[in-house]
Amino acid sequence: MDFKNVDLGHFSELIGEKQRICILSHKSPDGDSIGSSLGLFHFLNQLGHSCSVITPDRPPSFLNWLEGSDQIINFEYHKAKATAAIENADWLFCLDFNGLNRVGDLTELLTHSNAKKFNIDHHQEPEHFAAYEYIETDASSTAQLIYELIAQTPHLHLLNQAIAQALYVGIMTDTGSFRFSSTTASTHHVIANLIATGIDNAAIHRNVYDSSTEQRLRLLGYAISDKMQLFKEHGFSIIALSEEELQRFEYQKGDTEGIVNYPLSIQEIKVSVFLSSKDDKVKMSFRSKGDIAVNSIANQYFEGGGHVNAAGGISHISLDQTVERLIEILKNEFPN
Ligand code: 5GP
Ligand code: MN
């Protein structure tokens, strides 16, 4: 465990009373960043603090049923409000990201803020940018760390359904519904304690996974049947979608989430990459099975990083050129 000055048993004394607190999430927030942020938000508010959750851009709409999600301040649309909250904050809690450059357009504000910074995260290679941190790179999710933080304080009795549903979503989404190797006995113990608050866990799965639009499912079908390139002899798969193709399916943010996982269901495929283009940039998602580390590939070639089995990166050449380069890199990395 990597603490800088933090004894979670004395969390309240460390934080102080009636503090102004901003919780910041990473760019393109996912289930874990929103779930962990809202879980901490409901906890800190009960402790008497004045708390805001701020995202660099829009949270996915499949999470808008979470209690407190209507209070999230999206910097993209509410710059003045978000800026004021960050500038006036006593504390900035930085959740589910390991470096200052992961918060998009919030980077400037975060970097120059004089507030005390507390980083809670589970990504590899933390940059240690905060004076206070609770970092466990083996943890299933930041949401699990928030539960463990709360459990180490003397305030576990404050765990209520609002906190529990948010943390459940974070753990569920970051573990692929409890199937990735990051899922441990303690993950299931935490989940059991969350369900014991009375939340409807089956409804949470439905809210998150069974709330697609028709166009989203048709986009998935197109991606798999028309666009999936398999390199079975090298064990990898590539799906690339252009901005024009996304538009054809009335793309909304979040619609491509999860497409990258499907090729891994093919026995011979150990690495899957999903690419999509937007405004002269290509966003890349990497997934792998077993001990193949895709974060190092994302980091070495595509300005990215992440976890061993799930990473992301970016490319500034065209989509076709990126695919060409990627095929060369992966053939090299995984010779047959
Ligand atoms: P996703 O493919 O879902 O966008 O991202 C998978 C994982 O890789 C996430 O844990 C995310 O934090 C990380 N990741 C995604 N994009 C980037 C990036 O550009 N830089 C770094 N360092 N990590 C990324
Ligand atoms: Mn996470």
Side-chain angles (χ1 to χ4, degrees), residues 89-211:
D90 303 305
W91 285 91
L92 297 180
F93 277 76
C94 302
L95 265 55
D96 199 41
F97 60 89
N98 59 359
L100 293 168
N101 68 349
R102 295 284 294 123
V103 290
D105 293 341
L106 287 175
T107 301
E108 193 76 10
L109 278 167
L110 171 59
T111 308
H112 295 116
S113 160
N114 292 321
K116 286 169 276 190
K117 299 184 183 101
F118 199 141
N119 184 204
I120 304 175
D121 186 36
H122 69 133
H123 286 89
Q124 305 292 321
E125 296 170 15
E127 288 178 11
H128 303 294
F129 62 87
Y132 302 88
E133 57 184 29
Y134 178 25
I135 292 173
E136 290 237 33
T137 55
D138 290 337
S140 71
S141 52
T142 300
Q144 181 169 346
L145 291 179
I146 297 296
Y147 178 89
E148 283 165 6
L149 181 155
I150 295 173
Q152 286 174 68
T153 70
H155 312 294
L156 185 56
H157 61 279
L158 296 178
L159 181 73
N160 59 16
Q161 293 192 3
I163 298 174
Q165 60 167 210
L167 298 184
Y168 190 100
V169 162
I171 298 171
M172 175 186 80
T173 53
D174 254 29
T175 59
S177 299
F178 321 115
R179 58 190 283 266
F180 299 155
S181 58
S182 57
T183 309
T184 61
S186 76
T187 308
H188 283 288
H189 283 132
V190 169
I191 285 294
N193 293 335
L194 298 179
I195 294 174
T197 65
I199 57 170
D200 185 343
N201 50 312
I204 292 176
H205 287 258
R206 285 198 303 275
N207 286 343
V208 171
Y209 294 115
D210 301 339
S211 61

Side-chain angles (χ1 to χ4, degrees), residues 26 28 30 96-98 101-102 122-123 174 257 260 283-287 299 302-307 310-314:
H26 59 70
S28 300
D30 58 7
D96 199 41
F97 60 89
N98 59 359
N101 68 349
R102 295 284 294 123
H122 69 133
H123 286 89
D174 254 29
E257 195 82 21
V260 64
K283 161 103 180 72
M284 309 173 72
S285 281
F286 296 78
R287 296 292 186 272
N299 181 258
F302 299 105
E303 304 170 26
H307 310 278
I314 202 153

Side-chain angles (χ1 to χ4, degrees), residues 304-335:
H307 310 278
V308 171
N309 297 125
I314 202 153
S315 163
H316 304 280
I317 51 179
S318 76
L319 183 64
D320 289 345
Q321 288 171 318
T322 305
V323 169
E324 214 170 288
R325 177 159 180 253
L326 178 66
I327 291 172
E328 206 173 297
I329 290 167
L330 293 179
K331 280 186 173 170
N332 236 345
E333 292 277 340
F334 308 108

